[in-house]
């Protein structure tokens, strides 16, 4: 008790504070997401996500190379298709932007970890994450398409595939498809507890994936639920997920903590587009200190229990940690 106990004693100097710090960020915690399209020399800034770009495979290799110099080692790829259709068939086209980019990245940087997002919403004309019939998103017929997509990414050289569609049973379907073709070493990072969130707004502009009718509440989770997140995670682990993710991160740090405590498996959290753009917008207005806010945000996500953080701040944060 005071005056014997004085917590401030350990805050007196940077050396002391560093010595007793419980949570430390490292560039190896981060996964850097990129949006890729076919073409050459593409580098167009995304309106709702300042300083993030649509890239073609060649400019992606440049950007990834620069991030690798700064210490980032893992990348997540989203594809912008040349054409959309009802079923999203470009998703499993071996010549599509993601597949080409994976091949280029792995050829240039064999040590880099390349993760691909598995979903149909960027590729479908209606913008939903699965097959649509009578304005309903059908679960089971979607599984085969997701599995084909994962297989095509694995063939291109992806180290991990990350299903983000929230169809039931997709982890198992993807695992079976991968194992059936000799890709038993390709890992699955499942978006296990993915909420129907307003914070994906900027991403939908970036990926051109806003639903053309309705919303995603019949497949993504209700923000009020956390017990359900544990059930979702348990199902995905049973089906063969290697890493489970909670998404978004900031409004769901309690869920990150509960998943970590309940399962003790590698937990990832996605610091999503809306979280990124809010921070940048406030910093641009001079309302918050950009660099401190980035590091504080990422530290909070790690402190909550995520050892892997998917973030558009990855390169800047890695540089700040140098
Ligand atoms: C695709 C997908 C989304 C995000 C990742 N994968 C959007 C969505 O579900 O609408 C969001 C990522 C972000 O906001 O940064 N289903």
């Amino acid at each position: 008790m005071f005056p014997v106990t004085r917590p401030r004693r350990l805050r007196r100097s940077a050396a002391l504070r560093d010595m007793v710090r419980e949570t430390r960020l490292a560039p190896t915690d981060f996964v850097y997401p990129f949006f890729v399209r076919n073409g050459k020399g593409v580098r167009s800034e995304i309106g709702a996500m300042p300083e993030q770009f649509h890239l073609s495979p060649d400019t992606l290799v440049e950007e990834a190379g620069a991030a690798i110099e700064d210490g980032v080692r893992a990348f997540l790829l989203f594809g912008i298709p040349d054409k959309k259709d009802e079923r999203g068939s470009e998703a499993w086209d071996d010549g599509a932007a993601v597949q080409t980019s994976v091949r280029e990245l792995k050829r240039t940087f064999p040590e880099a970890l390349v993760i691909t997002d598995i979903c149909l919403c960027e590729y479908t004309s209606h913008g939903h994450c699965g097959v649509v019939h009578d304005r309903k998103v059908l679960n089971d017929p979607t599984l085969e398409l997701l599995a084909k997509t994962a297989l095509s990414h694995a063939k291109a050289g992806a180290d991990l595939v990350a299903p983000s569609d929230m169809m039931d049973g997709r982890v198992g379907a993807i695992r079976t498809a991968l194992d059936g073709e000799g890709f038993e070493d390709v890992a699955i990072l499942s978006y296990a507890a993915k909420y129907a969130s307003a914070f994906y707004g900027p991403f939908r502009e970036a990926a051109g994936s806003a639903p053309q009718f309705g919303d995603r509440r019949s497949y993504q989770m209700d923000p009020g639920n956390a017990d359900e997140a544990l059930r979702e995670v348990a199902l995905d682990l049973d089906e063969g997920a290697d890493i489970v993710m909670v998404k978004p991160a900031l409004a769901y740090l309690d869920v990150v903590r509960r998943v970590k405590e309940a399962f003790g498996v590698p937990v990832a959290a996605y610091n999503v587009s809306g979280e990124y753009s809010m921070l940048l917008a406030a910093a641009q207005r001079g309302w918050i200190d950009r660099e401190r806010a980035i590091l504080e945000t990422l530290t909070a996500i790690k402190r909550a229990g995520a050892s892997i953080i998917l973030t558009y701040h990855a390169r800047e944060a890695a540089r700040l940690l140098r």
Side-chain angles (χ1 to χ4, degrees), residues 255-276:
V255 178
V256 172
R257 163 60 41 190
R258 287 183 63 182
V259 168
K260 182 67 199 167
E261 284 179 351
F263 298 97
V265 298
V267 177
Y270 201 138
N271 177 214
V272 299
S273 59
E275 298 169 353
Y276 169 85

Side-chain angles (χ1 to χ4, degrees), residues 13-73:
S13 69
L16 266 173
R17 290 190 295 270
D18 284 349
M19 193 169 71
V20 300
R21 178 156 238 215
E22 297 167 37
T23 306
R24 272 175 229 280
L25 289 171
T28 45
D29 300 335
F30 307 141
V31 176
Y32 196 178
F34 284 119
F35 300 92
V36 295
R37 60 167 9 129
N38 276 326
K40 252 187 160 4
V42 178
R43 196 171 187 277
S44 53
E45 195 170 12
I46 297 159
M49 298 180 70
E51 301 171 40
Q52 301 299 317
F53 299 86
H54 285 152
L55 302 168
S56 44
D58 55 329
T59 52
L60 167 72
V61 166
E62 288 169 21
E63 289 287 322
I68 288 170
E69 296 271 299
D70 289 327
V72 177
R73 296 206 298 219

Side-chain angles (χ1 to χ4, degrees), residues 178-221:
L178 291 174
D179 291 357
E181 299 279 334
F183 294 107
E184 49 281 296
D185 288 336
V186 171
I188 299 179
L189 188 175
S190 84
Y191 289 66
K194 176 173 177 178
Y195 288 86
S197 172
F199 293 102
Y200 309 147
F203 173 95
R204 291 182 187 171
E205 179 190 317
S209 65
Q212 299 303 299
F213 66 89
D215 55 43
R216 302 211 201 292
R217 281 184 282 194
S218 78
Y219 40 108
Q220 299 181 347
M221 286 181 56

Side-chain angles (χ1 to χ4, degrees), residues 85-199:
D85 59 30
E86 271 286 304
R87 285 159 53 87
S89 59
E90 203 170 313
W92 57 88
D93 181 335
D94 293 334
V98 166
Q99 287 83 340
T100 306
S101 298
V102 171
R103 285 190 293 270
E104 286 297 301
L105 265 185
K106 290 301 287 187
R107 194 172 56 78
T108 321
F109 308 111
E111 303 298 311
L113 277 181
V114 178
I115 310 171
T116 58
D117 186 89
I118 306 291
C119 196
L120 301 180
C121 63
E122 296 105 290
Y123 301 91
T124 50
S125 44
H126 44 73
H128 278 290
C129 303
V131 173
V132 167
H133 186 70
D134 277 348
R135 294 170 78 89
K136 280 212 178 80
V137 178
L138 304 184
N139 194 88
D140 299 13
T142 302
L143 300 182
E144 182 202 336
L145 308 185
L146 296 168
K148 278 209 279 203
T149 303
L151 205 48
S152 166
H153 292 181
K155 273 194 230 148
D159 298 293
L160 298 95
V161 293
S164 69
D165 52 281
M166 288 300 279
M167 297 300 120
D168 296 330
R170 91 274 206 215
V171 171
I174 289 171
R175 188 71 271 158
T176 304
L178 291 174
D179 291 357
E181 299 279 334
F183 294 107
E184 49 281 296
D185 288 336
V186 171
I188 299 179
L189 188 175
S190 84
Y191 289 66
K194 176 173 177 178
Y195 288 86
S197 172
F199 293 102

